[in-house]
Amino acid sequence: MLFNKYFLSAFTSFFIWGFFSLAIKPLHEYPSLDILFYRVFYATFLLLIINFLGRKDSINKDIRLFNSFGKKERHKTILLTIIGGFLLTFNWFLFMYCVNHVSIQSASFAYLICPIITTILAYFILKEKLSQWQWFSVLLCVISCGILSYGHIKELMYSIVIAVSFALYLISQRKNNQFDRFVVLTVQLLIASLVLLPFYPIYKGVTPSEFLFWGLMTLIVVLFTIIPLFLNLFALKGANSSTVGILMYTNPLINFFLAVFYFKEQINTYQIIAYMLILSAIIVFNHRAMLRK
């Protein structure tokens, strides 16, 4: 049997994001907000160049499709696209804020809570059905998050807001999947750039000139922004939001293994138990989706 291509796309996107710390760690001396600004602006610029130079047919096809819609469907499409851009911007900004002003732990917790929230919201909003085994995997995730968040209530509150914003992004894009995913991603990052642009002159630091910064920024934009976001949006064309949400646990699992085996951070027994529960939950939740054509 073959791996489901939508499942594989979602898994690959979160697998790539799991190694994001390897690229961002060498930039720890630069302001986090500057990294956010240049990540969004640079990605938007590259996407605009790619689309207008090599993907004009896709743009024209999407324009014709949009023009064929009725007034209600057009308004819905515009609204969902704008909401997606705002949610993406808010999620990235709040994530960077928590890293700088709350704790890195609060940002990490968001990746652990988000799949649960995505699954539950998809059940109620999109009416996506879950089997008893899938609900059991959600319960395993809840238990693991409870273990990891014990004694960190403040961080947990920030994490919930970050998680809800990304969960709503996934759900909104599940309902907005008629258009070319690359074009949609370009429009959403263009919206994100327009949202951030008024804040750039006020909050930006000294414009970096070092090769290290721009080399790693190119890596971050291409490998850790454009490619995984495109794969994520493509996956939502054929995979349920709940499936994509649960696969998000791939990210913190990789972070955990990097922390232990690469960065040599100390871990305790509770963390090992919690992450083993998460790994079990991913397998239980997706055992059918992995092999469905």
Side-chain angles (χ1 to χ4, degrees), residues 179-246:
F179 298 96
D180 181 89
R181 298 288 84 188
F182 213 79
V183 174
V184 171
L185 178 59
T186 303
V187 174
Q188 288 178 340
L189 283 181
L190 183 59
I191 292 170
S193 294
L194 293 174
V195 172
L196 291 174
L197 194 59
F199 301 98
Y200 176 71
I202 302 172
Y203 296 104
K204 77 176 185 71
V206 178
T207 302
S209 58
E210 297 83 358
F211 175 79
L212 173 66
F213 179 88
W214 291 108
L216 287 174
M217 187 54 60
T218 301
L219 182 68
I220 289 170
V221 165
V222 176
L223 184 60
F224 293 106
T225 302
I226 294 176
I227 292 177
L229 278 176
F230 170 74
L231 289 172
N232 209 270
L233 288 172
F234 175 78
L236 288 169
K237 289 180 70 72
N240 290 339
S241 302
S242 54
T243 299
V244 176
I246 288 295

Side-chain angles (χ1 to χ4, degrees), residues 14-230:
F14 294 120
F15 181 82
I16 292 172
W17 270 327
F19 293 93
F20 186 52
S21 59
L22 295 178
I24 204 71
K25 193 77 171 177
L27 298 177
H28 67 277
E29 294 183 358
Y30 297 91
S32 297
L33 198 53
D34 278 0
I35 296 173
L36 176 64
F37 283 141
Y38 293 118
R39 181 187 184 186
V40 173
F41 296 155
Y42 195 175
T44 304
F45 174 75
L46 285 180
L47 284 170
L48 287 172
I49 294 296
I50 292 170
N51 274 291
F52 283 109
L53 290 183
R55 309 190 78 253
K56 289 183 179 180
D57 289 342
S58 297
I59 295 174
N60 291 330
K61 182 180 178 181
D62 281 351
I63 292 174
R64 289 194 298 269
L65 177 61
F66 179 79
N67 290 333
S68 70
F69 289 166
K71 185 177 180 180
K72 184 178 179 180
E73 189 68 18
R74 288 185 189 182
H75 288 167
K76 176 186 173 183
T77 300
I78 293 171
L79 181 63
L80 288 175
T81 303
I82 292 175
I83 287 174
F86 271 94
L87 287 172
L88 205 57
T89 306
F90 178 73
N91 178 265
W92 286 359
F93 174 77
L94 193 58
F95 181 85
M96 299 303 298
Y97 175 83
C98 284
V99 169
N100 282 336
H101 303 290
V102 182
S103 72
I104 295 177
Q105 204 166 47
S106 65
S108 300
F109 282 156
Y111 285 104
L112 298 173
I113 300 169
C114 189
I116 299 171
I117 294 176
T118 302
T119 300
I120 294 173
L121 288 179
Y123 175 79
F124 287 106
I125 297 175
L126 301 179
K127 309 301 179 184
E128 293 182 356
K129 298 187 181 301
L130 299 176
S131 67
Q132 290 183 342
W133 280 107
Q134 288 176 319
W135 277 117
F136 175 68
S137 70
V138 172
L139 177 61
L140 290 179
C141 293
V142 171
I143 294 171
S144 65
C145 288
I147 293 172
L148 290 171
S149 63
Y150 180 75
H152 302 277
I153 300 301
K154 179 184 176 182
E155 287 86 348
L156 186 61
M157 293 300 102
Y158 281 100
S159 299
I160 289 174
V161 179
I162 297 174
V164 168
S165 63
F166 195 71
L168 289 174
Y169 170 75
L170 289 177
I171 291 172
S172 68
Q173 299 318 295
R174 173 63 174 159
K175 294 177 72 69
N176 186 31
N177 60 6
Q178 308 99 314
F179 298 96
D180 181 89
R181 298 288 84 188
F182 213 79
V183 174
V184 171
L185 178 59
T186 303
V187 174
Q188 288 178 340
L189 283 181
L190 183 59
I191 292 170
S193 294
L194 293 174
V195 172
L196 291 174
L197 194 59
F199 301 98
Y200 176 71
I202 302 172
Y203 296 104
K204 77 176 185 71
V206 178
T207 302
S209 58
E210 297 83 358
F211 175 79
L212 173 66
F213 179 88
W214 291 108
L216 287 174
M217 187 54 60
T218 301
L219 182 68
I220 289 170
V221 165
V222 176
L223 184 60
F224 293 106
T225 302
I226 294 176
I227 292 177
L229 278 176
F230 170 74

